[in-house]
Amino acid sequence: MRRPIDSLFGRLALLVVAVLMLSHFAWYGLMRLERTQLQTRYAVEEATFLVDAVRQHVARTPDQPLPSRVKLVDPASPDVPAVNPNMPASLEHFVEDVRDRMPAGTQVRVGSPGGPPMLWVRATTDQNWIVVPAQPLRMPRSLDRTVLWLAIIFSFAVMAALFAAWALQQPLRSLAQAVTRFGRGLPVPPVPERGPRELRQLTHGFNQMVQEVGRTEHDRAVMLAGVAHDLKTPLARLRLRAEMMDDAKTRDGVVRDVDSMTHIVEQFLVFAHDGADRSEPVEVDAQCERVVRSYRAVAAGAPTVQTELNAGPSFVLPAATLDRILSNLLDNAHAYGAPPVVVATARTPQGFTLSISDNGHGIAAQDLINASRPFVRLDPARGGNGHSGLGLAIVERLVRRAGGEWEIGNYGGRGLRVLMSFPFEVLPRVAAASESAW
């Protein structure tokens, strides 16, 4: 099961959202703190201005009434509030800031709680307490428009960042898909060179590598196919002359050698073939049953071949590809394995599997890596008549060309098993490609 967080886009999206969320919350916290500090400074300035204005009013026009909520209180009045030692820290800082703005020796107190906030100030030169209204230090903490605007800005920022992350990972995704196709041996068109400079350089290098590898593979295939094709005619003449020999023992030996050489030439041609399989798709279970039935009838002395076909009719592959896979693996099991040979198919949550296993000695663990390399024989005894070291290499190439993956190994210590897996998504493309060729 794919997890979104495993993709580049998922991780970029998570990183972007986390960074934006952290930055917006930090910005909002700093804004709230700065607003509180600005409010405190404004309240101090306002209180200082009002106290100075009252002093000037009393000095210049003592007979005129004072503004509302501003009054003068006799120091002996019982309404004068006492010093509160348990003031909140913010209020205490406010009183200290007001006292710092006043002349030395000025007394600053805060009115009794429960009523409108009032500030009591008396300097050494004042005859009475000057009482002025004080602005509340903290505004109501209800959800205001700031939070709404923050949510809107955050949403637009996230959408823009996700689009940027998607645009950034698209070239890398195209390159990853091309690498996957190249690893499976499928044709790879040039990948568009876009994105950051480093990614463009990487894509350019990959395109050059694909071109060089394709050119080398093409040259090798042409050379191999040309040599194999040129050998077919002399082999046919050699077989015809061998059948005309009078000595039956010599004739039979030469014919067997010619047949072995012909088989090797045919393997060369199959391995060198680089085109798509244009044969008609067939149900794998039914075709396996037919191939096994004919193999039992034709291959005299072949080991017992059993079938365990449970994939169902949805599992289809091109007929020529499937026949070549089965014939190569059955011949390999016949030559080096031991009965019974089991041809099995199954349906899994990810796709379909096709496996062929025998009960021989298998392949040594250190030789499994080289088992599918072309023209490699794991020991001299396996290079008998008609064997070129291409059987497993052909199977691997055919499986990858059909969009599948393969795994070769010793199964349960009883023999060699080749397990081929075909995901659900590749099978419709295989069928469509084969049908379009017709």
Side-chain angles (χ1 to χ4, degrees), residues 117-135:
M118 304 299 289
L119 188 66
W120 295 63
V121 179
R122 185 189 179 199
T124 55
T125 58
D126 295 333
Q127 296 181 357
N128 300 310
W129 285 93
I130 301 174
V131 182
V132 296
Q135 183 182 4

Side-chain angles (χ1 to χ4, degrees), residues 27-73:
W27 171 77
Y28 181 71
L30 290 174
M31 185 187 65
R32 296 284 291 186
L33 178 62
E34 184 65 21
R35 184 171 67 174
T36 302
Q37 293 177 350
L38 287 174
Q39 181 188 7
T40 303
R41 288 196 295 269
Y42 178 77
V44 171
E45 294 292 337
E46 183 183 41
T48 304
F49 174 78
L50 287 176
V51 171
D52 290 340
V54 170
R55 284 183 181 141
Q56 293 179 11
H57 178 83
V58 171
R60 296 176 182 178
T61 56
D63 55 336
Q64 294 294 327
L66 294 170
S68 61
R69 297 185 64 191
V70 176
K71 57 185 178 179
L72 299 175
V73 179

Side-chain angles (χ1 to χ4, degrees), residues 369-382:
I369 298 177
N370 298 322
S372 61
R373 292 183 178 177
F375 308 108
V376 173
R377 294 177 180 146
L378 301 182
D379 65 69
R382 296 175 75 102

Side-chain angles (χ1 to χ4, degrees), residues 164-246:
W166 175 82
L168 182 63
Q169 64 92 32
Q170 278 298 104
L172 196 56
R173 182 180 181 184
S174 300
L175 182 60
Q177 293 174 346
V179 170
T180 301
R181 290 179 59 86
F182 183 71
R184 290 179 175 176
L186 301 175
V188 181
V191 182
E193 299 177 12
R194 50 183 181 169
R197 182 179 67 253
E198 293 80 4
L199 188 55
R200 293 198 305 270
Q201 292 175 347
L202 177 63
T203 306
H204 180 72
F206 174 77
N207 288 334
Q208 284 188 328
M209 181 190 70
V210 171
Q211 292 177 359
E212 291 297 329
V213 172
R215 189 179 298 110
T216 302
E217 287 289 330
H218 179 264
D219 293 343
R220 186 180 68 169
V222 169
M223 180 188 67
L224 194 61
V227 172
H229 183 270
D230 291 343
L231 286 176
K232 291 181 69 175
T233 301
L235 286 175
R237 291 199 302 265
L238 187 61
R239 180 184 177 88
L240 179 61
R241 292 173 181 175
E243 291 177 349
M244 298 174 62
M245 291 182 178
D246 296 332

Side-chain angles (χ1 to χ4, degrees), residues 257-412:
D257 291 340
V258 171
D259 289 341
S260 298
M261 295 175 66
T262 303
H263 179 71
I264 292 175
V265 168
E266 291 175 352
Q267 292 285 75
F268 282 180
L269 290 174
V270 172
F271 183 76
H273 176 69
D274 198 28
D277 190 349
R278 300 178 180 272
S279 60
E280 182 181 2
V282 294
E283 295 182 12
V284 174
D285 285 2
Q287 187 69 6
C288 286
E289 190 64 46
R290 286 193 292 268
V291 171
V292 169
R293 191 183 307 116
S294 62
Y295 190 82
R296 291 170 182 158
V298 174
T304 304
V305 182
Q306 302 175 357
T307 57
E308 298 176 3
L309 308 175
N310 303 308
S314 301
F315 187 17
V316 295
L317 286 175
T321 295
L322 182 59
D323 288 345
R324 288 169 182 167
I325 290 174
L326 293 175
S327 62
N328 277 283
L329 292 179
L330 287 174
D331 288 343
N332 190 76
H334 181 194
Y336 311 118
V341 177
V342 180
V343 179
T345 62
R347 183 187 181 100
T348 67
Q350 292 76 30
F352 297 99
T353 62
L354 168 64
S355 65
I356 297 181
S357 57
D358 62 65
N359 283 267
H361 298 292
I363 298 177
Q366 64 270 19
D367 292 333
L368 286 175
I369 298 177
N370 298 322
S372 61
R373 292 183 178 177
F375 308 108
V376 173
R377 294 177 180 146
L378 301 182
D379 65 69
R382 296 175 75 102
N385 293 337
H387 297 284
S388 59
L390 285 175
L392 294 178
I394 291 174
V395 172
E396 180 183 18
R397 176 169 291 194
L398 293 174
V399 171
R400 293 187 182 277
R401 192 172 292 163
E405 297 289 341
W406 89 321
E407 177 184 349
I408 182 171
N410 299 315
Y411 181 57

